[in-house]
Amino acid sequence: MASNFAVRANQALMQSSPKWRLVVWLLLMLTASLWTLQLWQNGARVQSDILAMLPHLQQDKLTERALNQVEATLADQVYIALVAKDETTAIAAAKLLMQKLEADLVARGKQGALTDIRSADMQLGEALGQFYFPHRFKLLTEPQAKALANQDIGSLIEAATAQLYNAFSYANSNLLAQDPLLLFPANLLTLAPSSKVRASQGILFVNQGDNVAAVVMAKGRESAFNPNAQLAQMTVLTQGLDAVKQSYPDITVLKAGALFHALAATQTAKSEISILGLASLLGVIALVWLAFRSVMPLLLAIVTISSGLLLAVTFTLSVFGELHLLTLVFGTSLIGIAIDYSFHFYCERLSDTERSAQATVAYIFPTVTLAFITSALAYVGIGLAPFPGMQQVAIFCAAGLLGAYLTLILAYPLLAGSRLPEGSRPLALAGTYLACLTQLSKRFTTPLGMGMFALVILIWCLGGVTKLTVDDDIRHLQQSPASVTEPENQLRQLLSGGTDNQFLLVRAASEEALLQQLERVSPMLDTAITNQELGNYVSLNRYLPSHQKQDTAYHLQGKIYQTQIDTVLTSLGLDENLKPELQAAYLAAKTDYITPAAFFTLGAGKQLAPLWLAPNEANSPAGNGQLNDDGASAEHGADQGADYGADYGAIVLLGGIQQIDALKARFAHDGSVQLIDKVADISAVMGHYRLLTLKLLALALGIALLLFSLNFGFKKAAVVVAVPALAALLTLATLGLTGSPLSLFHALALILVFGIGIDYSLFFASAQNHGKAVMMAVFMSACSTLLAFGLLAFSQTQAIHYFGLTLSLGIGFTFLLSPLILTTTLALTTNQLLTTKKS
C-alpha cells in the first residue's frame, strides 16, 4: 500500500511542471507572510512568562480560583529595601525613592509603569479603630475572656487602673465613658500582625543587624513577564534608585519580586536565541560550503531554513496567539533539522551528476516523505505533554519541518537546476568511512563478534541505567542567577520570611462555618511557628471573628454591664450616671455583628479582600492589592460573574516555610483544610508525564516496526527500528554514568532522538547502490543536528540544557549505529553467498 502510494506520487512529481510547483510554493510563502503580519497587527506577541510553560493542573473550581488569586497577588509586586546605618537616613532615602516613582506616575497621567507606590499606612490604625469600636462589646482578647469566665473582674479593674496612670495610655474621658475597663485598646492591638516591621513617618522599616532597612513597595501596571512592561518598570526603578544613590551613596539596595526573575529570564533567552541561533546558522553554512563549494546550495539552504522558520512562526501564532521566548530557544534547533532535506538532495545529485533536479527530488521523495512523517509524529509526541510551552515547541518545529519539506518538493526542481562542481572528494571520504565500517561489521556478524558487541552494550546499559536517578522538580525549569536570588532572600528574611507560593485553602459550606474553621486553624499554625516549621501567616481570622466567638464575648461582657457595672464604676472613680448609657449601648449591640461584607468596604479590608472566596465572584469584595505590615500582599482576581460552586473559601498566606512536610502532615486528615503547593503538584504531574512519555516512545517504536514492515519486511524493519531504540538506551545509560538525573525533558528529547534517528535508518535502509551519497548526507545532517542541539546543551536554563544534552548524545549514537544497517546487510549477504558457494 505504501509502495503504491510512493509510485503514484513519483509519477505525479515527474509529470508536474517545475514552474507551476515553484508558483505554488511562492504563493504559499506569500500567504504565510501576509497572514503572520496580520497576526502581529492583531495583537500577537512574544511571551516571556515562565509560568505560561507550566502544566495546567486539574483542580476543582475553588482551588483553581485560589491559585489564580495568589498568582495575581504575587506576580506583579515589587519590593525595595534601602539599607542604611541609621533610621533617619533610611527613611529619607525611602521618601526620595517614593517621590521619584510617584513623579513618573504623575507625569504619565497615572499611566506610569509602576502604580500603588507605598510603604506604611499611618491611617490604618485609626481606620480600624473607627470600624471596630461600635463592635467593642463583641471583642475580647484571650486573657480578658479567661478573666471574665473565671469571674475575675478584679484583674480587669487593676489593668484599667494601671492604664489610667500610664503616661502612654490610650485612656481619655471619652473612651472611659464608653469602655470603662479599657478593653477595646487591647483588642485593637491584637489586629496588628506580629512582625519585626515597624512604621515611622509613613515608612516601614526593620532592623538588619546594626543597620536599618526602609521598605518601599509598588505594583506593575502590566505583567512583569511582558518584555515591554519589564523595560518600562526597570527604567523607572533605575532612575529612582540612581537618584537615591546620588544623594545617599552609602545606601545598600535589596530588590525582590517577579519582575527581576522575569527580566533575568528574558535577557538569558534573548542572548541564547541570538548566540545559539547565529552559531547554528553559521555552522550549517560552513558545512554546505565545504561539501558543495557552490553558491546555489548555500542560497537554497538559507531559503529552506527561512521558509521553515516562516511556517513555524505562522502556525504557532495561529494556534497560540503568542510566541514564547523559550520556544524560540528550542526552535533554533530547527535549523539543524530542516536543512537535512537539502543535504540529501545535493548528496544524491553529487552521486549522479547526469540526473536532473526534478528526477532527484522524485528519487528521494518516498524516503524523505516517510522521514518527514516520522519526525513530525515525534514532535506531535512532544505536544502531548501538558506544557503549553512544549506544545508550542512541537507546533513550531513540526511546522518548520513542513516548510522545509514543501520547499524541497516544490521549489528545488526549478531552483536547484544548475550543475554542481566536482564532488568526488566528499563522496570519496564518505566511501572510505563506509568501507571501514564494512570491515568492522564483518567482525560483528561472526558469532564471536556479535557476542562481544552485545556484551559491551549490555554492560554499558546495565551499568548506566542502574545508576540513573530521576528529578521532576519544576523549579529546575528556570533558575534565576544569584544576583537576583540572594538579595531577594535577604529581603524575605527582613519581612519575617515574606510570603511563599504555598498557602492554605480553608473551605466550608457557609460563611459562619468558614470563620469558625479559620479560628480552629490559627492555633495550629501558631504551634507550627513555635516548632519553627513556619515563619508567619496572614489569616482573616485576626480581623473577622465568627458570630459564635462574638456571641461568646458579648455574653461574657454581660457580667460587666449587667451585674458588675456598679463595682466597676466605683472602683475606677467614674460617675455613676454613666451606668444607664453603658447598659443601653450594650443591649443595643446584641444583634450588631462584624461581617465580612462590612469589613471589606474598609480601606484596610480591601487589602485582604482577595483572601475571601465567596461562592459567586460577583458577590465577593474587590481588592486593590495593597501590602500589609507582614510583607504579604493580596490582589483581587479576575473571572467576575463566574459560578464557583456552593463552598465558601479563605486563603491563608504562609511565609518563611521551613518544614513543608511537617505542615502538610498537620492538615493531612482534614478535608476542610488543603495545603496548596503548586510546585509539588506540577512536579508530580511532570513525573507522571515522564513515565507516560517513555511508554509513548516504546509504543512509537512498535508502530514504526509495523509500518516499516510493509516496505522492508519484518527483519529489515526490525534492524531499522533497533538503531534509534539502542541509541535511546545508550543515551539513558550515559546519563546515568555521568550523574545527570532523568526528567521529563530528557524523555521528550528521547522522542526526538527516535524521530530524527529513524530518518538516518530509513535513508540507509533505502540506500541500495547509493551508500556513499547517503553516508555523506547523514554525516552532514548529524553534524548540523549535533551543532544545533549541542549548543542547546550549553544553555543556562536547565530544561533546555537537559533537552540539548540528551539529543546530542542520542543523535551521536544514532549516527554511529545507523550505517551498520547498510554494512551489516552487505556483510550478511556476502556471508550467505560464500556459504552457498561452499555448499
Side-chain angles (χ1 to χ4, degrees), residues 321-340:
E322 62 182 19
L323 193 60
H324 202 287
L325 277 175
L326 289 184
T327 300
L328 293 176
V329 175
F330 278 108
T332 58
S333 62
L334 179 64
I335 296 173
I337 304 173
I339 198 64
D340 289 359

Side-chain angles (χ1 to χ4, degrees), residues 309-507:
L309 291 175
L310 174 61
L311 284 193
V313 172
T314 301
F315 274 73
T316 305
L317 291 180
S318 298
V319 174
F320 298 98
E322 62 182 19
L323 193 60
H324 202 287
L325 277 175
L326 289 184
T327 300
L328 293 176
V329 175
F330 278 108
T332 58
S333 62
L334 179 64
I335 296 173
I337 304 173
I339 198 64
D340 289 359
Y341 302 136
S342 182
F343 289 159
H344 284 289
F345 172 84
Y346 276 108
C347 288
E348 285 296 336
R349 290 212 67 190
L350 279 179
S351 67
D352 188 351
T353 56
E354 299 301 321
R355 183 188 292 153
S356 67
Q358 185 175 3
T360 303
V361 170
Y363 176 77
I364 66 174
F365 174 78
T367 306
V368 168
T369 301
L370 196 56
F372 164 70
I373 292 172
T374 54
S375 296
L377 288 175
Y379 281 115
V380 170
I382 288 181
L384 295 177
F387 289 77
M390 295 310 297
Q391 291 166 358
Q392 274 200 25
V393 170
I395 295 293
F396 187 92
C397 292
L401 285 179
L402 176 63
Y405 172 78
L406 292 176
T407 301
L408 171 69
I409 302 302
L410 299 176
Y412 273 53
L414 187 62
L415 297 182
S418 59
R419 288 184 175 273
L420 290 174
E422 176 60 40
S424 58
R425 180 171 175 77
L427 288 175
L429 292 174
T432 302
Y433 180 70
L434 270 179
C436 294
L437 286 180
T438 302
Q439 293 298 322
L440 184 64
S441 65
K442 288 180 180 179
R443 300 180 182 180
F444 289 158
T445 53
T446 64
L448 179 61
M450 293 181 67
M452 291 296 295
F453 179 75
L455 181 62
V456 171
I457 296 297
L458 182 64
I459 293 174
W460 189 345
C461 291
L462 285 178
V465 172
T466 54
K467 292 184 178 180
L468 197 62
T469 59
V470 297
D471 182 7
D472 299 312
D473 195 334
I474 191 63
R475 285 169 292 192
H476 293 163
L477 179 66
Q478 176 71 45
Q479 291 182 322
S480 298
S483 58
V484 174
T485 57
E486 289 179 1
E488 179 172 273
N489 289 336
Q490 293 181 46
L491 184 49
R492 284 171 61 86
Q493 291 304 314
L494 286 178
L495 298 175
S496 302
T499 302
D500 293 321
N501 291 322
Q502 296 90 348
F503 61 91
L504 291 182
L505 175 59
V506 183
R507 65 179 74 211

